[in-house]
Amino acid sequence: MSSFETRLFINNEFADAKSGEYLTVYNPTDGSLVSDKIHSANEQDVDAAVQAAQRAFKGTWGKTDPTARARAMLKFADLVREHAGEIARLETLAMGSAIATQTMGYTTLADLFVYYAGLADKIHGETAYPTSAGKYKITQREPIGVCAGIGAWNVSAILFGWKAAPALAAGNTVVFKPSEKAPLGTLALGPLIQQCFPPGSINIVNGGGKTGQLLASHMEIHQIAFTGSTATGRKIQEYAARSNLKRVSLELGGKSPSVIFEDADIELAAAKSMEGAIANSGQICAMASRIFVQESIADKFIQVLKGSFEQVSKSGIIGDPSDKNTQVGPLADKAQFKRVMEYLDIGKKEGELVTGGVQWGAKDGLYVQPTIFKNLGKDSRIVREEVFGPVVTVQTFTSEEDAIKLANDSIFGLSACVYTRSISRALRVTREIEAGTIAVNDWYFPSPDTPFGGVKQSGYGREGGLEGLNDYLQTKTIQINMNAP
Ligand code: NAD
């Protein structure tokens, strides 16, 4: 894909932004300009997208038979799967993530549309509460109307699919804003959308925080699903409260713990911890960045983990993200790189560097060597705050109780990992850990058929699985007087 679309996608057509404002994106592999002409939506543009979505909700998509909705979604899924590799290149170009990772993102988007297409004709209410004589009661589950989605930049395809697929299956229409750091892949879906959905069903508006604020504050949008940082999530909730009290679901940041007990398979725990830490160069919200290992096996575990982290730099899987064998690309942009380097400085000052801790490769490439720190205090910022890079901290614990306490000592609660050979311990500990998702003897990565989301300041609402549909439906109760003539 040598050229790419940079305009807004409204009512099934690409259109210039009325704002006359543009976003700029650089390639983080070498700092070269990707585009300084990515159209950025202002109030008029957002209104146009919302009106198109409103017309589709009232007139076409909202009135489409559920099985026809399912067929359109399945057609879209096939087209996305067919073009996954070429669209993924645009993500790689803009934010440096490995082509294999982003291709998986687009095939997962296709899977999400298949999953929710299957639910489109299975949405129903309940009947006949027998409690009050003479009154027949039914409930029906209805779509909400125009739903907005705002995404982060790390896996744009999945973030789009988590929101658009259940929204459309339920009969809603969508206005989606991809991140200003990686809008090109989402825009490349425009021609595929044109082939499957009536105009206005899915609209894409590019822009930064200002455009996001317009969506979250819009009076004709009745639901907003947000993925991004906790700080921005807080603002989204405020905008919703100040405007029309639209429904909000928030998928926010994390600082996920990984708890490794002395009966665990050390090699497995180290290999999975490494895989999770380097996937998407550590830019995954669910990444287990706080590792807690039982004291009795700590030295052995750290030694094995160090070996597997160092193997990444030696084995050739870090490098050019457009190469299909690469697993670790650069960080997304200069701001993200600077942020991670600042945390590395904190780690070096406050703890002990085990490995990594520096830039990898040439100066213009925004790569960071996979990094491990140990011996940090529990209040060090690198232990408390989300780094969003290939960086882990290792701390020790003595007992199960101690491990649970340490794991839960965070404002976040998105995900967690537990490594043990004991099923009863796994069941006890997973019950106690405060997180929306937990992996046992594995690192966690979401799948279309199960709900994903956080507790505490990692947000609320669930995306994926049957529960992912709930945010896009509202229940109406109808009461019929059976004694009426
Ligand atoms: P961010 O909060 O800076 O931006 C996310 C989105 O919000 C972008 O589209 C941005 O343009 C928009 N935005 C920024 N300011 C806004 C405002 N005032 N009003 C409305 N919209 C606004 O986050 P980011 O740097 O793009 O993404 C990284 C964060 O996302 C990390 O914290 C990561 O953990 C989180 N994340 C969470 C999940 C999840 O499922 N829980 C998934 C991916 C990423």
Side-chain angles (χ1 to χ4, degrees):
M1 201 173 269
S2 53
S3 65
F4 44 78
E5 192 49 73
T6 61
R7 292 172 293 170
L8 312 180
F9 184 74
I10 297 175
N11 210 31
N12 269 3
E13 283 171 9
F14 283 103
D16 290 350
K18 301 212 168 45
S19 65
E21 290 171 18
Y22 301 96
L23 307 165
T24 300
V25 169
Y26 297 95
N27 182 339
T29 312
D30 57 9
S32 59
L33 179 70
V34 174
S35 174
D36 56 2
K37 285 283 173 298
I38 300 168
H39 293 242
S40 177
N42 68 5
E43 192 167 356
Q44 262 180 299
D45 299 309
V46 167
D47 280 346
V50 174
Q51 278 163 24
Q54 188 77 272
R55 285 194 301 274
F57 177 65
K58 299 270 183 213
T60 51
W61 186 253
K63 300 264 186 282
T64 300
D65 186 81
T67 52
R69 286 207 296 265
R71 283 199 302 278
M73 292 179 68
L74 290 173
K75 182 175 173 192
F76 182 68
D78 283 346
L79 288 172
V80 170
R81 207 178 300 282
E82 191 184 323
H83 295 280
E86 61 194 91
I87 301 180
R89 293 212 167 269
L90 298 173
E91 302 290 344
T92 296
L93 193 64
M95 51 71 74
S97 168
I99 185 76
T101 306
Q102 293 298 327
T103 304
M104 176 278 296
Y106 279 90
T107 53
T108 303
L109 166 59
D111 292 344
L112 279 161
F113 269 74
V114 170
Y115 180 84
Y116 283 106
L119 296 180
D121 60 356
K122 296 167 192 71
I123 296 167
H124 53 77
E126 296 171 337
T127 47
Y129 295 100
T131 45
S132 31
K135 301 214 193 310
Y136 188 83
K137 296 174 191 175
I138 52 174
T139 62
Q140 56 196 40
R141 301 185 80 202
E142 300 179 345
I144 293 167
V146 179
C147 299
I150 297 181
W153 41 266
N154 55 339
V155 271
S156 303
I158 298 177
L159 307 186
F160 171 77
W162 270 345
K163 296 162 181 51
L168 292 164
N172 302 282
T173 54
V174 174
V175 180
F176 185 81
K177 188 192 90 59
S179 166
E180 63 274 35
K181 293 188 187 187
L184 304 180
T186 313
L187 285 176
L189 296 172
L192 313 187
I193 293 169
Q194 279 165 344
Q195 294 175 58
C196 305
F197 301 103
S201 309
I202 308 176
N203 306 274
I204 302 164
V205 290
N206 315 314
K210 264 195 312 192
T211 310
Q213 180 172 356
L214 289 168
L215 290 172
S217 308
H218 205 286
M219 297 300 285
E220 299 304 323
I221 289 175
H222 297 292
Q223 198 274 352
I224 186 158
F226 172 79
T227 300
S229 63
T230 298
T232 310
R234 212 179 288 281
K235 290 185 193 164
I236 299 285
Q237 200 169 29
E238 259 179 60
Y239 302 144
R242 293 218 175 102
S243 54
N244 60 348
L245 285 176
K246 58 178 66 57
R247 285 189 191 195
V248 178
S249 70
L250 300 174
E251 295 283 356
L252 308 178
K255 187 76 187 171
S256 301
S258 185
V259 181
I260 299 158
F261 287 98
E262 60 190 357
D263 67 346
D265 179 328
I266 293 184
E267 304 285 337
L268 174 87
K272 293 289 178 185
S273 302
M274 183 275 285
E275 274 174 44
I278 64 163
N280 216 22
S281 307
Q283 302 165 121
I284 290 187
C285 51
M287 186 255 218
S289 51
R290 288 183 299 140
I291 298 179
F292 300 104
V293 58
Q294 196 148 13
E295 213 162 67
S296 50
I297 58 159
D299 289 345
K300 174 84 200 299
F301 172 76
I302 292 171
Q303 188 198 348
V304 180
L305 189 69
K306 178 175 187 278
S308 61
F309 267 53
E310 289 175 353
Q311 192 55 29
V312 174
S313 308
K314 289 183 203 145
S315 61
I317 59 168
I318 182 165
D320 175 4
S322 63
D323 181 330
K324 67 177 181 7
N325 296 316
T326 296
Q327 289 180 32
V328 189
L331 299 184
D333 66 357
K334 278 193 175 149
Q336 187 59 21
F337 180 75
K338 186 166 168 273
R339 171 192 162 96
V340 173
M341 294 312 272
E342 280 168 10
Y343 279 110
L344 295 186
D345 286 342
I346 294 174
K348 286 177 203 164
K349 272 191 209 116
E350 298 180 4
E352 190 180 324
L353 180 66
V354 176
T355 188
V358 289
Q359 185 171 13
W360 179 91
K363 199 169 144 281
D364 287 339
L366 305 175
Y367 293 82
V368 170
Q369 265 189 28
T371 298
I372 307 171
F373 286 108
K374 65 176 185 178
N375 294 338
L376 284 150
K378 74 178 184 42
D379 290 324
S380 174
R381 280 182 54 207
I382 195 172
V383 173
R384 299 242 149 235
E385 298 170 12
E386 186 180 38
V387 175
F388 226 50
V391 182
V392 298
T393 61
V394 184
Q395 292 162 288
T396 59
F397 65 88
T398 46
S399 64
E400 191 174 302
E401 198 189 0
D402 186 23
I404 292 166
K405 219 158 127 192
L406 286 165
N408 288 341
D409 184 17
S410 170
I411 60 164
F412 298 109
L414 189 57
S415 191
C417 307
V418 176
Y419 292 89
T420 175
R421 282 191 171 92
S422 156
I423 184 69
S424 43
R425 170 177 273 158
L427 289 171
R428 278 196 308 274
V429 176
T430 51
R431 179 185 274 252
E432 293 300 323
I433 287 184
E434 296 158 358
T437 55
I438 307 191
V440 177
N441 295 326
D442 209 346
W443 66 285
Y444 192 86
F445 195 79
S447 56
D449 54 354
T450 46
F452 180 72
V455 301
K456 302 200 286 192
Q457 291 185 42
S458 289
Y460 54 84
R462 291 292 179 268
E463 293 189 315
L466 290 174
E467 269 196 56
L469 203 57
N470 290 345
D471 283 335
Y472 298 96
L473 289 164
Q474 52 198 354
T475 303
K476 180 180 281 170
T477 301
I478 300 168
Q479 175 185 295
I480 303 158
N481 180 355
M482 293 165 73
N483 299 322

